[in-house]
Amino acid sequence: MAIQGDVAEIPQLMTPVVSKQRGLWGDAFRRLRRNKLAVLGLIILLSIAALVTIDGFTHLFQRYDAYFDQDYTALQQGPSWTHFFGTDNLGRDNWSRVLSGIRVSLQIGIGTQIVVVTLGVTVGAIAALGGRFFDNFLMRITDIAYAFPDILFIILMRAVLENRNWLLVSDAKVQIILAISLINWTTLARLVRGQMLSLRERDYVIAARAMGATSSRIVWVHMLPNTLGPVIVAVTFGVPIAIFAEAALGFIGFGIQAPAISLGRLVSDGYTYINVNYWIVLFPAAAIAILMLCFTFIGDGLRDALDPRTR
């Protein structure tokens, strides 16, 4: 009887312990939460985005009714409870102007990445999967675009688009988004091409092809989802690059033109008065630095979280 009891317990002892497996994105999110700098950058970025978004609809946080309102009794003042960031040479509230500048710069940065992802993923995928002719043709176009100096090419594109009212590019923000996008898509196209060239030789792709899966299904179900990780990381790093490019354009006079503003435009306008009132330059420059640091921290965290070699 004792032997029978021991035998009866054997299946229970041999039952495997099944642990709950996390998916790729669940595991990445768990690893991202452990990165304190990435979490801090995400919190600060979301707070700034919420602040400027709410302010854009309600003007709740602006000291004046609009960022261009002038008060000639308060010229070149420093920070105070009335004007958190002081005023400029025309008595305009710098707090309201910085909020509006952040909103425009974020729109340009995010809008640029939308165009970059559309161009980069499309060109990279066609080059990798379209055969030798399309690969050579598209990669040579990519090499030509990559060879141009970034700022010079953006300035040339901005000049070409500036006085054109066709193709819905009459708006200055749209012109800048297109100008920056047309020079920054090349890196993402090369990244997507390299990823897909590697993925199409993986065992699960070969198995899906052997089982009769169509090419479109293999691309959409097996290849694109596995390319999203590097693309997301590239986009996260691309937003601050676009913001900095817009700031550089604004500083040299090719960016957003008055009365509209951006962070680069604020730095450019305040540079003349930096010896009289350095606050006028300090706060928009600090806003640029904070945005770039937040996106950099988030990008570093996502890169570590999505990298399978660090698991």
Side-chain angles (χ1 to χ4, degrees):
M1 297 297 294
I3 294 177
Q4 293 178 356
D6 293 340
V7 173
E9 292 177 359
I10 289 177
Q12 298 178 1
L13 296 175
M14 295 179 63
T15 302
V17 178
V18 180
S19 60
K20 185 177 180 180
Q21 298 294 325
R22 296 184 178 90
L24 171 64
W25 299 106
D27 182 63
F29 179 71
R30 178 180 59 87
R31 292 158 59 81
L32 181 63
R33 288 187 302 174
R34 295 180 178 179
N35 191 316
K36 296 181 179 179
L37 285 178
V39 173
L40 177 62
L42 184 60
I43 292 173
I44 295 175
L45 181 61
L46 290 177
S47 300
I48 293 174
L51 177 67
V52 299
T53 302
I54 294 173
D55 178 75
F57 288 105
T58 65
H59 304 292
L60 180 63
F61 304 103
Q62 291 190 6
R63 310 303 295 171
Y64 291 163
D65 292 336
Y67 65 86
F68 48 79
D69 286 350
Q70 302 176 12
D71 182 3
Y72 292 108
T73 64
L75 303 179
Q76 299 285 12
Q77 291 187 355
S80 64
W81 286 110
T82 304
H83 305 286
F84 297 149
F85 289 173
T87 60
D88 64 1
N89 59 301
L90 298 177
R92 295 173 295 193
D93 182 63
N94 287 333
W95 165 262
S96 302
R97 292 173 66 77
V98 169
L99 288 184
S100 299
I102 292 174
R103 182 163 56 251
V104 171
S105 294
L106 284 176
Q107 290 172 352
I108 291 175
I110 296 173
T112 297
Q113 292 311 301
I114 293 174
V115 179
V116 165
V117 168
T118 302
L119 288 175
V121 172
T122 302
V123 173
I126 294 175
L129 306 175
R132 185 179 298 274
F133 171 78
F134 286 103
D135 189 13
N136 290 330
F137 177 71
L138 292 175
M139 285 302 99
R140 298 298 77 77
I141 294 177
T142 303
D143 293 338
I144 293 173
Y146 191 79
F148 279 93
D150 292 358
I151 295 296
L152 177 60
F153 186 83
I154 293 172
I155 292 174
L156 291 176
M157 291 303 304
R158 178 78 170 92
V160 170
L161 297 173
E162 187 172 9
N163 295 319
R164 302 295 188 273
N165 293 324
W166 40 271
L167 294 179
L168 301 178
V169 293
S170 59
D171 184 79
K173 286 188 293 186
V174 177
Q175 294 172 5
I176 293 174
I177 288 173
L178 290 177
I180 298 175
S181 301
L182 291 176
I183 197 63
N184 287 335
W185 64 271
T186 55
T187 301
L188 188 60
R190 288 181 170 184
L191 174 64
V192 171
R193 173 182 176 270
Q195 288 289 318
M196 287 197 169
L197 286 176
S198 175
L199 289 172
R200 73 179 185 180
E201 304 299 331
R202 299 290 178 89
D203 292 339
Y204 58 87
V205 174
I206 296 175
R209 189 179 296 115
M211 294 176 65
T214 61
S215 299
S216 59
R217 178 176 176 81
I218 291 174
V219 171
W220 287 102
V221 176
H222 299 287
M223 300 182 71
L224 277 180
N226 289 284
T227 311
L228 286 179
V231 169
I232 291 174
V233 175
V235 167
T236 308
F237 284 114
V239 173
I241 293 175
I243 291 175
F244 185 78
E246 184 281 323
L249 288 176
F251 187 77
I252 61 178
F254 285 91
I256 299 293
Q257 301 297 319
I261 57 171
S262 66
L263 292 177
R265 183 71 191 182
L266 290 177
V267 174
S268 176
D269 290 345
Y271 180 75
T272 306
Y273 306 95
I274 192 171
N275 292 325
V276 178
N277 182 10
Y278 63 89
W279 301 106
I280 195 174
V281 175
L282 177 63
F283 289 113
I288 295 173
I290 291 173
L291 289 177
M292 296 190 70
L293 282 175
C294 287
F295 279 106
T296 300
F297 289 156
I298 296 171
D300 286 337
L302 287 173
R303 181 182 57 194
D304 295 339
L306 294 171
D307 189 352
R309 294 173 296 181
T310 61
R311 295 180 183 176

